[in-house]
């Protein structure tokens, strides 16, 4: 294997000296630098500028580049971006687990914030569910690597992903697309542009229907598991009553009736799935699994986003208003087997409202020093709330068979966040610029947890009708609060973050830069905690980034090279430890803990070589050295001791029942989803055929070295060190109105573990990456 790695890395290095995986091919709406430009205009610093002019690590994708890569959702962005991992959350396929430079999250609890922020049209998304953004109707996506503590949504500890949907065109038009593929995939998408009043009022309506059967087969009945059935509707109205006022209103609806993701139970004869039930996963292939419980994941989401811009000459005012409500009802066979052991129902409701107001200077018409100054002042407000009830058909009957009841518990949380921020970019000379940013944030959280909840009859139920409503569970929780069985906790903190940078243009096409920035993620509570001691709140997670880089176009823009080096220091990192607790009806809980600190160092190379107008070579290489510098926590859960225990590195926490949590040193463990090497190389070749259109061939290869998928570095969760190959053959008519693409992903049909979720001493859920998939996409524009 060592020889294999050496050959691979040598090949990548050779390609990287010639090429860079700039995912952007085409132009932002009327904002590119010219025909045939490889630049996309982005707004990462609150102003329009191409990615080559942004002095920080950023990748951008527009509609054309997403189409070329046959991208279906944001997971398809990761191969083209160094040191990025994006995949579905193992147990919730409509939620994205995003890791940037070795840090991220793969949970789905709304009490916890993600280290990586996601925003849609400027509105920060506060919960992980329904963050698996579809790529249809997107104008562009910006991927920001490193903490974004002053200029991105709320806060961002490790990075951010900003998606922007398309606005109505100036003329009447229809865009339609159909995709058919294996595993029953059938997608139908359409968008209609309607200019209602010339240059004053226009609308755009979008419909997107996505379905497929799933690539897992249930060995009990032969049915498919892990399929998708999602409908998205979006409407946009742009109203320009005067030359200096622009009103953009968007509304969207998502109706998801998908199946729970497929997976199996990793062999472990020390866990209860084997010791009590004698079950061990049969050796009948990764995509043959057992399910004895419904696997319906239902999500309904409704959102509104309003962007208003007012041009006052030397100053511009920008208002961004967002409201999103999300409701879920999910059935999950958590034990991933045909044994009726640990199924659950999750009923959840989430609401968020945000308002951002910015004042930005525009001194471009001046001839003095102010012409080189760009100022931004802003304020931000966020209010969110959620409720969750989780029902367990087999608990506590498994702990005490005489009870013959199931159980249901409850948690809710209200959050508010306020911030003031400012940014200044000043051109000291025509080639030398400095950037300064500051953000002051105030946050509060009110947490209400009822781990006792109520008993449900009968035990071993499989119908949603047995599950009590959120209103009923809140009433029960208030009654349990009065007796001391439930509890409330609070969090109230403020924090300032800073950013500073300098960039210098060596030539008109080559820039060097260096920067420092801070980010943070507010401390959180454990949605599955059983006691105030284990619930939190944890301390705020913080990050500091030191970054330097070069961005350049060479040989009359024949070659583009972007090189970045970085060091990120993380402190008070947080995660939840899942362990058994016989003192609660469910028999288990999750404790939130600050584990310590880590340092992430690395180098990122992105390059593009275009030998001819029709031939393009691309590559990106990410090297990452991410290590814990302090990791002191209890990973084993409560234990009994004959005498009061001591810890060599941290705390000893006494729990009810005479048990203790004892911190131990785990600094030697590796960070989750932090491969040392990640690289992609691709080639695109277009054959012009005159009036018959253009034919384009594309091939891409992705490699990631070994990495861990669990915090505890479970050996069954070690993955990586393999190659994935994608390819496509596309045709486009001469006028660009019609296109067809035959595409395939994971063409070698590599089977690999994508995620592992150890669940106390009960069982370990194991999930796999997609097998070979292929399809045909037909598109037309009128």
């Amino acid at each position: 294997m060592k020889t294999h790695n050496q050959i691979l890395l040598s090949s990548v290095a050779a390609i990287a000296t010639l090429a860079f995986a700039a995912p952007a091919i085409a132009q932002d709406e009327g904002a590119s630098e010219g025909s045939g430009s490889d630049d996309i205009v982005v707004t990462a610093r609150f102003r329009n500028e191409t990615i080559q002019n942004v002095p920080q690590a950023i990748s951008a994708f527009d509609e054309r580049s997403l189409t070329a890569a046959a991208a279906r959702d944001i997971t398809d962005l990761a191969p083209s971006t160094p040191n990025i991992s994006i995949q579905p959350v193992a147990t919730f396929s409509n939620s994205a687990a995003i890791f940037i430079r070795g840090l991220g999250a793969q949970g789905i609890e709304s009490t916890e914030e993600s280290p990586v922020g996601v925003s849609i049209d400027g509105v920060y998304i506060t919960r992980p569910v329904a963050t698996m953004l579809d790529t249809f109707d997107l104008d562009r996506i910006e991927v920001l690597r490193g903490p974004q503590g002053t200029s991105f949504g709320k806060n961002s500890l490790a990075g951010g992903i900003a998606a922007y949907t398309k606005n109505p065109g100036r003329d009447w038009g229809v865009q339609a697309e159909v995709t058919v593929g294996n595993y029953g995939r059938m997608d139908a998408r359409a968008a209609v542009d309607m200019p209602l009043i010339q240059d004053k009022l226009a609308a755009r309506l979008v419909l997107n229907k996505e379905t497929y059967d799933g690539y897992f087969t249930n060995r009990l009945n032969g049915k498919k598991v892990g399929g998708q059935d999602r409908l998205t509707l979006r409407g946009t109205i742009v109203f320009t009553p005067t030359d200096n006022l622009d009103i953009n209103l968007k509304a969207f609806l998502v109706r998801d009736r998908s199946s729970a993701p497929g997976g199996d139970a990793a062999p472990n004869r020390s866990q209860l799935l084997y010791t009590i039930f004698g079950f061990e996963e049969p050796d009948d292939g990764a995509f043959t699994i057992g399910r004895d419980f419904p696997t319906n994941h239902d999500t309904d989401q409704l959102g509104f986003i309003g962007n208003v811009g007012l041009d006052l000459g030397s100053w511009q005012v920008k208002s961004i208003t967002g409201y999103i409500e999300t409701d879920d009802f999910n059935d999950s066979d958590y034990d991933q087997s045909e044994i009726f052991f640990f199924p659950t129902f999750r009923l959840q409701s989430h609401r968020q409202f945000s308002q951002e107001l910015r004042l930005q200077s525009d001194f471009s018409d001046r001839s003095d020093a102010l012409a080189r100054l760009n100022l931004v002042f802003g304020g931000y407000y966020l209010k969110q709330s959620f409720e969750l009830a989780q029902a367990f058909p087999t608990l506590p009957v498994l702990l005490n068979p005489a009870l013959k009841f199931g159980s249901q518990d409850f948690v809710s949380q209200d959050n508010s966040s306020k911030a003031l921020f400012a940014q200044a970019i000043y051109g000291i000379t025509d080639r030398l610029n400095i950037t300064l940013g500051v953000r002051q944030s105030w946050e509060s959280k009110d947490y209400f947890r009822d781990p006792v909840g109520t008993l449900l009859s009968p035990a071993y139920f499989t119908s949603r009708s047995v599950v009590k409503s959120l209103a009923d569970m809140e009433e029960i929780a208030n009654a349990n609060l009065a007796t001391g069985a439930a509890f409330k906790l609070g969090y109230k903190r403020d924090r300032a973050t800073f950013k500073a940078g300098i960039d210098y243009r060596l030539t008109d096409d080559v820039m060097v830069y260096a920067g420092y920035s801070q980010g943070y993620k507010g401390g959180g509570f454990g949605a599955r905690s059983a006691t105030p001691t284990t619930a939190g709140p944890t301390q705020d997670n913080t990050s500091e980034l030191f970054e330097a880089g070069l961005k350049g176009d060479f040989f009359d823009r024949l070659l583009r090279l972007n090189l970045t080096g970085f060091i990120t220091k993380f402190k008070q990192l947080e995660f939840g430890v899942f362990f058994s607790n016989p003192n609660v009806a469910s028999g288990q809980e999750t404790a939130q803990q600050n584990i310590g600190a880590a340092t992430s160092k690395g180098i990122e190379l992105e390059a593009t070589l275009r030998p001819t107008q029709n031939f393009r070579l691309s590559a990106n290489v990410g090297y990452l050295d991410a290590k814990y510098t302090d990791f002191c926590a209890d990973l084993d859960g409560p234990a009994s001791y004959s005498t009061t225990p001591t810890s060599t590195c941290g705390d000893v926490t006494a729990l009810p029942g005479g048990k203790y949590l004892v911190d131990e040193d785990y600094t030697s463990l590796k960070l989750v989803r932090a491969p040392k090497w990640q690289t992609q190389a691709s080639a695109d070749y277009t054959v012009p055929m005159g009036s018959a259109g253009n034919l384009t061939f594309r091939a891409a290869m992705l490699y990631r070295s070994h990495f861990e998928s669990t915090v505890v570095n479970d050996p069954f969760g070690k993955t990586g060190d393999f190659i994935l190959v994608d390819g496509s053959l596309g045709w486009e008519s001469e006028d660009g109105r019609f296109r067809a693409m035959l595409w395939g992903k994971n063409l070698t049909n590599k089977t690999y573990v994508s995620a592992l979720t150890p669940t106390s001493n009960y069982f370990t859920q194991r999930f796999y990456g997609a097998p070979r998939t292929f399809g045909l996409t037909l598109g037309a524009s009128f």
Side-chain angles (χ1 to χ4, degrees):
M1 186 61 67
K2 181 178 179 181
T3 301
H4 166 76
N5 287 344
Q6 289 175 335
I7 294 173
L8 175 64
L9 294 177
S10 297
S11 300
V12 169
I15 296 173
T17 60
L18 299 175
F20 140 5
I25 298 176
Q27 322 168 82
D28 192 81
E29 264 181 19
S32 73
E33 291 189 329
S35 178
S37 170
D38 283 338
D39 291 325
I40 294 177
V41 172
V42 296
T43 56
R45 298 197 298 168
F46 297 133
R47 66 178 189 175
N48 294 335
E49 53 190 345
T50 65
I51 55 176
Q52 291 302 98
N53 290 327
V54 180
Q56 66 186 60
I58 177 174
S59 299
F61 303 77
D62 65 357
E63 180 184 24
R64 204 178 160 94
S65 57
L66 293 170
T67 299
R72 191 170 190 245
D73 54 45
I74 62 172
T75 61
D76 293 309
L77 308 184
S80 298
T81 314
N83 289 326
I84 297 286
S85 169
I86 307 175
Q87 67 174 52
V89 171
T91 50
F92 289 81
S93 61
N94 67 350
S95 306
I98 308 170
F99 286 74
I100 297 180
R101 293 176 173 175
L103 195 69
Q106 48 195 7
I108 43 83
E109 304 298 359
S110 293
T111 54
E112 307 162 25
E113 299 178 22
S114 172
V116 178
V118 175
S119 71
I120 301 176
D121 292 311
V123 174
Y124 185 91
I125 309 302
T126 59
R127 64 169 304 199
V129 174
T131 53
M132 187 57 69
L133 305 179
D134 180 78
T135 58
F136 181 70
D137 194 48
L138 287 183
D139 180 65
R140 71 181 187 281
I141 301 179
E142 302 173 16
V143 182
L144 313 172
R145 304 192 293 277
Q148 308 295 318
T150 63
S151 58
F152 181 86
K154 182 174 176 287
N155 307 297
S156 181
L157 186 70
I161 294 180
Y164 297 89
T165 58
K166 296 178 69 174
N167 290 322
R170 294 177 179 271
D171 300 314
W172 288 88
V174 176
Q175 180 183 355
E177 180 181 285
V178 175
T179 297
V180 294
N182 60 337
Y183 299 108
R185 176 172 173 178
M186 175 66 75
D187 299 342
R189 300 160 165 175
V192 180
D193 284 335
M194 297 175 288
L196 304 178
I197 302 176
Q198 188 66 34
D199 297 327
K200 296 292 183 182
L201 181 66
R204 181 176 175 87
L205 299 179
V206 177
L207 180 147
N208 183 9
K209 177 68 172 178
E210 302 168 280
T211 60
Y212 73 91
D213 297 334
Y215 39 81
F216 290 89
T217 301
N218 189 345
R219 66 172 66 95
L220 294 186
N221 54 24
K223 294 183 178 180
K224 291 295 184 180
V225 178
Q228 185 179 60
D229 182 0
R230 181 167 60 192
L231 173 68
T232 302
L233 300 174
R234 182 184 296 111
T236 302
I237 294 177
V238 174
F239 180 43
T240 311
T242 65
D243 291 340
N244 63 343
L245 178 62
D246 181 84
I247 300 173
N248 188 310
L249 305 177
K250 296 179 185 286
F252 59 89
L253 172 69
V254 179
R255 185 182 185 275
D256 196 330
R257 295 296 182 267
S258 298
S259 167
D264 63 17
N268 190 329
R269 295 194 171 190
S270 66
Q271 293 181 312
L272 298 184
L273 187 60
Y274 182 83
T275 60
I276 293 181
F277 299 99
F279 178 82
E280 194 166 39
E281 184 71 27
D283 186 16
D284 53 0
F287 300 106
T288 300
I289 60 177
R291 289 292 184 275
D292 63 334
F293 192 75
T295 57
N296 304 308
H297 276 202
D298 298 346
T299 300
D300 292 298
Q301 186 175 75
L302 176 66
F304 168 83
I305 299 173
N307 280 263
V308 179
L310 178 62
D311 189 346
L312 301 177
S314 296
W315 294 92
Q316 296 175 339
V317 179
K318 181 74 170 180
S319 170
I320 305 174
T321 305
Y323 174 77
I324 301 175
E325 59 180 51
T326 310
D327 295 298
D328 312 304
F329 205 151
N330 298 327
D331 322 329
S332 296
D333 194 357
Y334 267 15
D335 55 88
Q336 307 294 331
S337 74
E338 49 266 50
I339 304 299
F340 203 79
F341 176 26
F342 202 95
T344 68
F345 292 95
R346 285 174 60 100
L347 178 61
Q348 188 167 199
S349 178
H350 183 275
R351 304 290 183 266
Q352 75 165 78
F353 169 81
S354 64
Q355 175 63 54
E356 184 171 341
L357 190 64
R358 298 199 302 262
L359 181 65
Q360 184 167 346
S361 68
D362 181 6
F363 302 139
S364 58
D365 59 343
R366 300 178 67 104
S367 58
D368 56 12
L370 282 180
R372 299 198 301 269
L373 177 64
N374 179 273
L375 293 173
V376 178
F377 303 98
Y380 179 80
Y381 173 77
L382 169 71
K383 180 69 175 179
Q384 62 168 325
S385 62
F386 95 99
E387 294 180 313
L388 166 67
Q390 188 158 354
F392 302 88
T394 63
L395 301 174
V397 66
L398 287 176
L399 305 175
N400 185 355
L403 288 178
K404 300 188 181 304
F405 288 97
S407 65
Q408 187 171 349
D409 59 30
F410 177 81
V411 63
S412 69
Q413 183 169 293
D414 293 327
N415 303 351
S416 68
S417 177
K418 304 172 185 177
L420 294 174
F421 57 89
Q423 174 186 274
I425 302 174
Y426 184 69
I428 298 176
T429 70
D430 291 340
R431 295 189 178 275
L432 179 64
N433 302 284
I434 60 171
T435 301
L436 298 174
V438 61
R439 185 185 188 100
Q440 175 65 51
S441 301
W442 298 266
E443 292 192 71
S444 64
K445 302 179 181 182
D446 296 314
Y447 171 82
F448 183 16
R449 172 68 170 139
D450 180 12
V452 176
T454 186
L455 297 178
L456 299 175
S457 180
Y460 302 108
F461 61 90
T462 60
S463 172
R464 289 184 173 185
S465 63
V466 180
V467 180
K468 292 185 176 298
S469 69
L470 288 171
D472 289 341
M473 289 305 301
E474 185 175 16
E475 184 177 345
I476 293 170
N478 284 319
N480 287 337
L481 179 66
T483 64
F487 55 90
K488 290 185 176 182
L489 298 172
Y491 162 111
K492 192 172 185 180
R493 296 174 189 162
D494 63 90
R495 182 174 294 275
T497 51
F498 301 91
K499 176 181 180 179
I502 185 170
D503 62 270
Y504 181 74
R505 287 209 163 270
L506 300 175
T507 69
D508 290 343
D509 295 322
V510 180
M511 175 181 69
V512 293
Y513 65 91
Y516 168 82
S517 61
Q518 297 176 329
Y520 87 97
K521 179 178 80 72
F525 295 95
R528 315 291 340 133
S529 61
T531 68
T533 304
T534 55
T538 57
Q539 296 299 311
D540 293 348
N541 304 192
T542 64
S543 60
E544 289 184 295
L545 169 68
F546 304 87
E547 184 176 270
L550 175 148
K551 293 187 175 184
D553 291 315
F554 304 92
F555 310 117
D556 195 24
R557 307 196 75 175
L558 176 69
L559 173 67
R560 171 169 291 180
L561 292 174
N562 288 1
L563 181 66
T564 307
F566 64 90
I567 299 175
T568 310
K569 296 182 179 295
F570 301 102
K571 295 181 180 179
Q572 296 292 353
L573 290 177
E574 167 197 339
F575 72 91
V577 181
F578 194 38
F579 52 72
S580 58
N581 186 342
N583 298 315
V584 296
S586 65
Q588 46 78 38
E589 69 165 308
T590 302
Q592 292 300 115
Q593 299 185 9
N594 290 109
I595 63 170
T599 297
S600 173
K601 299 180 291 185
I603 297 175
E604 296 164 349
L605 172 67
E606 300 174 283
T608 299
L609 174 67
R610 181 165 283 177
T612 70
Q613 184 65 29
N614 298 321
F615 184 36
R616 174 190 176 104
L617 293 173
S618 302
N620 73 77
V621 179
Y623 170 77
L624 184 64
D625 179 18
K627 296 179 179 178
Y628 291 109
T629 55
D630 180 22
F631 190 160
C632 185
D634 186 304
L635 300 183
D636 303 320
S640 300
Y641 295 84
S642 57
T643 60
T644 302
T646 59
S647 170
T648 59
C649 67
D651 298 327
V652 174
T653 305
L655 299 177
K659 295 189 175 184
Y660 297 87
L661 294 174
V662 181
D663 291 343
E664 299 181 44
D665 186 5
Y666 292 99
T667 308
S668 60
L669 292 178
K670 297 180 180 179
L671 275 74
V672 174
R673 305 200 181 282
K676 180 166 288 189
W677 291 99
Q678 175 177 312
T679 183
Q680 187 201 49
S682 66
D684 299 79
Y685 184 68
T686 299
V687 180
M689 299 186 298
S691 60
N694 297 314
L695 198 63
T696 300
F697 301 85
R698 183 178 188 272
M701 175 197 74
L702 171 68
Y703 171 79
R704 290 190 180 102
S705 59
H706 280 304
F707 63 92
E708 303 292 339
S709 63
T710 66
V711 173
V712 297
N713 292 184
D714 188 302
F716 283 106
K718 188 173 184 178
T719 185
D721 193 31
F722 54 78
I723 295 172
L724 298 179
V725 179
D726 298 344
S728 65
L729 171 61
W731 170 84
E732 186 176 62
S733 64
E734 185 181 21
D735 58 7
R737 295 174 57 191
F738 301 96
R739 63 184 179 86
M741 176 183 287
L742 182 64
W743 53 265
K745 299 182 180 182
N746 189 9
L747 292 174
T748 61
N749 204 27
K750 175 67 180 179
T751 299
Y752 60 97
V753 172
S754 64
L756 200 76
T757 307
T759 306
S760 184
N761 65 337
Y762 289 9
F763 45 80
T764 297
Q765 303 174 72
R766 181 172 55 184
F767 300 89
Y768 297 90
R772 180 192 297 117
T773 56
F774 53 85
L776 174 65
T777 298
L778 304 175
S781 300
F782 303 95

